[in-house]
Amino acid sequence: MSQRQINILFLASEADPFVKIGGLGDVAGSLPPAIFDLSNDSVKYDIRLALPFYGVIKKKLPNLSKIGDFPLHTGGIIIQTSIYEHTLNGIPVYFIDGTPIKENDPVYGSNFVADAEKFVFFSLACLELPRFLKWRIDILHANDWHTALAIHQLSTQAVFRQSSPVPKKIITLHNLPFMGAGSEDALTRFGIEPADDPHLPTWARTIPLPMGLASADRIVPVSRSYAQEILTPDFGCGLESFFKSRSEKIMGIINGIDGSVWDPATDKFIKNNYNNESLTGKSICKATLLNEVGLQNQPHTPLIVLISRMDQQKGVDLAINSLKMIENQRWQAIILGSGDSKLENAAQDLENALPEKVRVKILFDSALSHRMYAGADIFLMPSRYEPCGLSQLISMRYGTLPVARSTGGLKDTIIDVDKHGHGTGFLFAEATVNETAKALKRSIESYSQQEKWNSLIKNAMVQDFSWKKSAQEYCTLYQNLIE
């Protein structure tokens, strides 16, 4: 039997290890290689990644080879476009450069006009990339608002109209509230027509993400529960009626984590490696972490950690106020993150009020996060919404049990501990301080029953959150779309 080839162009605004700002960077750096690795005798997945050639990447990879240039004709203007090539775990990576991608600009800036020009240009240039490469694509796979316009514009491009069959269009939805508002002037400058889908609200027809969603053959929220939540007013961001009209095209696929990066048995950042069969190393990691942050080592006191962007969405205020509410319980806590200055100050106030219990680190520190995942007992994640979430997957892999709101990917990946002591974490329904505090109390009570707690740890550590599982679902989706 001959091998079938499926050609996929995967577009993203960030990808680890080249540039990583948030969870999308983890996904775009791990998912395409995982899909490529699923090639077999019957099907080959020729998946290629495209990224903007930011200044930060140029500094990191100063000797990248340029493979060519082409003029991008759009809206009566011409932008000279350059393509650079690299390889990531066996797959080609193309970096796209042009004047809208300015050398010293941040990946995501506060200047929405500049961001819009950058990502509109990138999306349009990606549509010219297959022609430049003389490579016919079967699937165009975009992510979030930064690349959604490629989906919207695909049917207008002659090179694709002349293809048979026309490429299928997928958009993965990581963070719906960020739609690319403020891009209207850039769309006009680049000659991009509004969406004309009658199910889209009028306000959404000139905003990149809704425009891409309206043209997609499949919309993939990053968990099954989030795929249902976006159909409701609480989570749909004004697009819930549109999503209901597209319900047969919506399919939730949970993200994975890179098991080579997040593995307590091999992690180079932690004091002592361990696995689910031998947890001795975890107690050593806990003692080391407490010493590092200046808290007293109390082996029989649960250590709670929060590792998060300081943001209302992440429920950081719920975490802080719930810890205040249970201050008379036996616990210690470490908070790591940065963002909203009000939340940073509130966290610092908590440490000042409870200096024997709490330490706060207002910074981004990847190595420290590894040590916290390994050394903690409880991981606090009271998100108001969470399309997927990666932190709970990592914490379970390290045997640190999550206390989390039952929403989106948290609901799909954490098994709530029942009265018989079966489960992998502690879920609560309402985004309130009282509910958060009650769930924390439940976890602290379980911790006091050490034999039961060790059983829960082992349950959590054997869960399969590898990218292979998620990649297989995407491969099935690709094949079904083409067939």
Side-chain angles (χ1 to χ4, degrees):
M1 185 174 68
S2 61
Q3 187 188 48
R4 181 182 188 186
Q5 181 162 309
I6 299 177
N7 296 340
I8 308 124
L9 180 58
F10 192 97
L11 314 182
S13 56
E14 57 176 280
D16 193 38
F18 308 110
V19 59
K20 172 177 148 49
I21 307 298
L24 173 58
D26 292 302
V27 175
S30 299
L31 178 57
I35 289 169
F36 171 75
D37 286 344
L38 289 174
S39 297
N40 54 52
D41 291 341
S42 61
V43 60
K44 177 185 177 183
Y45 298 101
D46 184 357
I47 185 164
R48 308 185 187 187
L49 172 64
L51 294 166
F53 201 17
Y54 304 113
V56 65
I57 301 179
K58 291 176 183 176
K59 289 172 186 169
K60 190 178 286 188
L61 300 171
N63 301 315
L64 275 188
S65 57
K66 183 162 81 168
I67 59 172
D69 305 279
F70 60 80
L72 177 66
H73 296 262
T74 178
I77 59 175
I78 301 172
I79 301 175
Q80 196 65 17
T81 304
S82 300
I83 309 297
Y84 296 78
E85 187 175 18
H86 191 63
T87 303
L88 173 66
N89 297 330
I91 71 164
V93 181
Y94 302 107
F95 298 99
I96 294 179
D97 201 11
T99 52
I101 301 173
K102 295 180 172 56
E103 186 89 19
N104 297 316
D105 279 1
V107 174
Y108 308 126
S110 54
N111 183 337
F112 296 117
V113 174
D115 264 12
E117 292 235 338
K118 172 172 61 187
F119 292 121
V120 171
F121 160 72
F122 173 65
S123 297
L124 297 180
C126 284
L127 291 181
E128 287 296 312
L129 184 60
R131 178 196 60 76
F132 169 78
L133 297 171
K134 298 181 174 58
W135 175 61
R136 184 187 62 79
I137 64 170
D138 301 300
I139 303 278
L140 180 66
H141 189 154
N143 291 271
D144 278 354
W145 82 263
H146 320 93
T147 54
L149 281 173
I151 299 286
H152 171 74
Q153 284 292 97
L154 184 142
S155 59
T156 71
Q157 302 294 304
V159 67
F160 293 114
R161 284 204 309 270
Q162 293 159 10
S163 297
S164 182
V166 174
K168 297 296 183 182
K169 307 176 291 276
I170 297 172
I171 184 162
T172 297
L173 198 53
H174 304 267
N175 208 340
L176 176 59
F178 295 89
M179 298 187 189
S183 301
E184 291 81 358
D185 288 346
L187 299 182
T188 301
R189 178 170 180 253
F190 285 97
I192 297 174
E193 295 294 324
D196 58 5
D197 190 300
H199 294 101
L200 273 184
T202 304
W203 61 263
R205 296 177 191 177
T206 54
I207 297 178
L209 181 58
M211 293 168 74
L213 294 170
S215 297
D217 295 301
R218 285 292 183 276
I219 298 167
V220 185
V222 287
S223 68
R224 290 181 298 280
S225 289
Y226 193 59
Q228 294 302 310
E229 288 173 348
I230 62 173
L231 304 177
T232 69
D234 285 348
F235 296 92
C237 299
L239 297 179
E240 54 274 7
S241 296
F242 163 77
F243 285 127
K244 286 178 183 174
S245 77
R246 289 293 195 281
S247 58
E248 78 286 352
K249 294 186 176 182
I250 298 174
M251 174 185 177
I253 299 178
I254 201 80
N255 288 332
I257 55 173
D258 187 337
S260 65
V261 173
W262 300 106
D263 184 356
T266 59
D267 194 328
K268 294 185 174 76
F269 292 107
I270 67 178
K271 178 69 174 177
N272 204 287
N273 295 120
Y274 61 94
N275 58 39
N276 64 297
E277 294 178 358
S278 175
L279 296 172
T280 307
K282 186 164 178 62
S283 59
I284 296 171
C285 289
K286 179 177 179 177
T288 305
L289 175 63
L290 288 167
N291 181 63
E292 177 182 349
V293 301
L295 285 173
Q296 185 180 354
N297 182 19
Q298 300 174 8
H300 302 297
T301 297
L303 175 59
I304 302 164
V305 298
L306 183 144
I307 302 169
S308 177
R309 186 174 75 250
M310 293 283 182
D311 192 285
Q312 285 289 114
Q313 179 228 322
K314 296 296 184 180
V316 176
D317 57 316
L318 301 178
I320 293 167
N321 291 321
S322 65
L323 288 171
K324 285 182 190 172
M325 184 174 281
I326 63 165
E327 68 173 274
N328 293 326
Q329 297 266 323
R330 189 182 179 92
W331 55 266
Q332 295 170 296
I334 305 170
I335 296 173
L336 172 66
S338 62
D340 185 322
S341 59
K342 288 182 181 177
L343 293 172
E344 290 179 354
N345 291 337
Q348 200 62 63
D349 289 344
L350 181 68
E351 178 183 327
N352 295 339
L354 302 171
E356 301 304 312
K357 281 181 173 284
V358 179
R359 288 294 180 272
V360 174
K361 302 290 182 182
I362 303 296
L363 73 159
F364 172 81
D365 187 329
S366 179
L368 176 56
S369 76
H370 281 252
R371 298 194 291 277
M372 288 171 66
Y373 281 118
D377 301 298
I378 296 166
F379 189 89
L380 184 51
M381 199 170 178
S383 303
R384 286 184 164 83
Y385 73 91
E386 196 65 65
C388 176
L390 297 177
S391 294
Q392 83 279 13
L393 308 183
I394 298 167
S395 72
M396 285 186 277
R397 183 149 170 82
Y398 282 71
T400 297
L401 302 187
V403 171
R405 179 152 184 249
S406 182
T407 184
L410 303 178
K411 183 179 179 181
D412 288 348
T413 55
I414 300 167
I415 303 166
D416 191 32
V417 173
D418 61 23
K419 62 183 178 182
H420 304 295
H422 303 304
T424 61
F426 303 84
L427 293 172
F428 59 94
E430 299 298 324
T432 65
V433 174
N434 280 343
E435 287 293 303
T436 310
K438 278 166 62 178
L440 274 172
K441 285 180 182 177
R442 195 156 59 96
S443 68
I444 292 168
E445 184 182 333
S446 288
Y447 179 83
S448 67
Q449 303 167 53
Q450 205 58 49
E451 189 175 330
K452 173 183 172 182
W453 188 262
N454 286 339
S455 177
L456 292 173
I457 287 176
K458 291 177 181 181
N459 287 348
M461 292 182 75
V462 298
Q463 301 300 305
D464 180 12
F465 298 120
S466 67
W467 269 113
K468 184 175 182 180
K469 191 175 177 182
S470 305
Q472 186 59 66
E473 292 190 57
Y474 274 107
C475 290
T476 301
L477 173 58
Y478 294 156
Q479 292 189 51
N480 290 343
L481 269 179
I482 290 171
E483 290 166 5

